[in-house]
C-alpha cells in the first residue's frame, strides 16, 4: 500500500469504528451520516466518498463485526480446550458480544438487508457447522458426549441455549448466587438428577 492507500484505510477504519460505537447505544434507523461524521471527526462527503450510503457503511460494519466474532470462535474451537470448556464458550460467548452489539440491533440491521442475511447464513454454514460437527464427533469419540445424542439434536439444543443466553446473563445479575452460571453449566451436562 502506498501512503494515500494507507491514509484512506485508516480513515475508513476510523469511520467504521465510530459507527460501531454508535450502534452500541443508538437504534440503527436513528443514526444519520451527520452524526457519524461528527463522532468520527470527518466530513460527510468523506463518508459518502468511501461508502456511498449509510446503508452500505452499516453493512460493512456488520460484516466486519460478524467476521471478527467468527474468527474468534474458530480460534477457540480449534484450541486445546476440553469439551466442557468449549460448550461453556459456545453458551456464554454472547456475554461479550452483547456488550458490543445486541441481537435487537443486529436483527434491525438484517431485516431489510437480505444480501447481508444471506452472507451471514452462508458463512455460518461454511465455517461454523463443519467446526461443530467435528467437535461433536470428537466429543463422542472421547466419550465426553453421549453416542445417544445425534448431531442435529445437539446443535438444536446449543442454539436454544444461545438464543436465550441474554436472559441467563440478566438472571445471573439479579440472582444472589455467585455459582449461578456454574450451576447452569452443570444442568447442561448432567440435568436435574446429576451424573448418570
Amino acid at each position: 500500500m502506498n501512503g494515500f492507500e494507507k491514509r484512506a484505510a485508516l480513515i475508513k477504519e476510523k469511520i467504521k469504528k465510530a459507527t460501531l460505537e454508535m450502534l452500541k447505544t443508538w437504534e440503527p434507523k436513528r443514526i444519520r451520516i451527520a452524526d457519524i461524521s461528527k463522532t468520527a471527526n470527518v466530513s460527510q462527503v468523506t463518508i459518502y466518498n468511501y461508502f456511498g450510503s449509510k446503508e452500505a457503511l452499516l453493512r460493512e460494519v456488520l460484516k466486519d463485526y460478524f467476521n471478527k466474532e467468527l474468527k474468534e470462535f474458530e480460534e477457540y474451537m480449534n484450541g486445546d480446550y476440553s469439551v466442557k470448556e468449549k460448550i461453556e464458550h459456545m453458551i456464554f460467548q454472547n456475554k461479550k458480544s452483547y456488550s458490543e452489539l445486541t441481537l435487537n440491533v443486529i436483527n434491525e440491521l438484517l431485516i431489510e438487508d437480505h444480501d447481508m442475511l444471506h452472507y451471514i447464513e452462508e458463512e455460518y454454514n461454511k465455517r461454523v457447522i463443519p467446526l461443530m460437527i467435528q467437535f461433536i464427533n470428537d466429543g463422542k469419540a472421547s466419550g465426553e458426549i453421549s453416542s445417544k445424542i445425534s448431531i442435529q439434536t445437539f446443535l438444536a439444543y446449543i442454539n436454544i441455549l444461545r438464543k436465550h443466553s441474554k436472559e441467563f446473563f440478566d438472571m445471573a445479575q439479579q440472582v444472589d448466587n455467585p455459582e449461578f452460571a456454574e450451576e447452569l453449566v452443570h444442568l447442561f451436562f448432567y440435568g436435574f438428577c446429576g451424573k448418570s
Side-chain angles (χ1 to χ4, degrees), residues 13-175:
E13 202 51 46
K14 181 180 175 183
I15 294 166
K16 290 193 288 185
K17 187 176 180 186
T19 305
L20 180 62
E21 284 302 310
M22 292 178 75
L23 285 169
K24 293 178 185 179
T25 55
W26 293 48
E27 291 178 44
K29 63 184 171 202
R30 298 194 67 203
I31 296 175
R32 300 172 306 143
I33 289 289
D35 302 317
I36 298 167
S37 164
K38 186 176 177 183
T39 304
N41 199 25
V42 298
S43 73
Q44 293 182 44
V45 172
T46 300
I47 295 173
Y48 283 112
N49 284 342
Y50 284 125
F51 298 98
S53 68
K54 180 183 102 170
E55 292 71 28
L57 169 58
L58 291 175
R59 182 181 304 121
E60 200 163 321
V61 168
L62 184 58
K63 189 180 275 192
D64 287 354
Y65 174 79
F66 179 72
N67 284 324
K68 179 182 76 79
E69 291 289 312
L70 257 185
K71 186 173 185 259
E72 288 175 12
F73 179 75
E74 287 171 324
E75 287 171 1
Y76 192 91
M77 294 304 285
N78 287 320
D80 190 24
Y81 300 100
S82 69
V83 167
K84 183 178 180 195
E85 288 170 322
K86 288 180 179 181
I87 289 174
E88 285 176 359
H89 182 75
M90 281 183 259
I91 296 169
F92 294 114
Q93 77 172 13
N94 282 352
K95 186 173 189 177
K96 178 188 74 75
S97 300
Y98 282 126
S99 68
E100 294 184 19
L101 287 185
T102 66
L103 277 178
N104 290 343
V105 168
I106 293 170
N107 287 337
E108 190 175 328
L109 289 169
L110 293 177
I111 280 173
E112 294 180 21
D113 194 340
H114 301 291
D115 290 340
M116 189 62 199
L117 183 59
H118 179 71
Y119 171 80
I120 288 175
E121 286 172 353
E122 243 181 25
E123 290 299 299
Y124 183 82
N125 290 332
K126 185 170 68 178
R127 294 167 65 182
V128 175
I129 295 297
L131 262 182
M132 294 295 293
I133 291 170
Q134 184 62 52
F135 162 73
I136 295 164
N137 287 332
D138 291 348
K140 285 182 176 190
S142 69
E144 295 173 273
I145 296 176
S146 171
S147 59
K148 295 178 184 177
I149 306 296
S150 70
I151 289 172
Q152 292 81 7
T153 302
F154 187 92
L155 291 175
Y157 190 62
I158 285 286
N159 282 334
I160 289 168
L161 292 175
R162 290 198 64 214
K163 282 181 184 172
H164 294 282
S165 59
K166 184 174 184 334
E167 293 167 42
F168 293 142
F169 304 140
D170 292 343
M171 278 186 245
Q173 290 174 345
Q174 295 169 6
V175 174

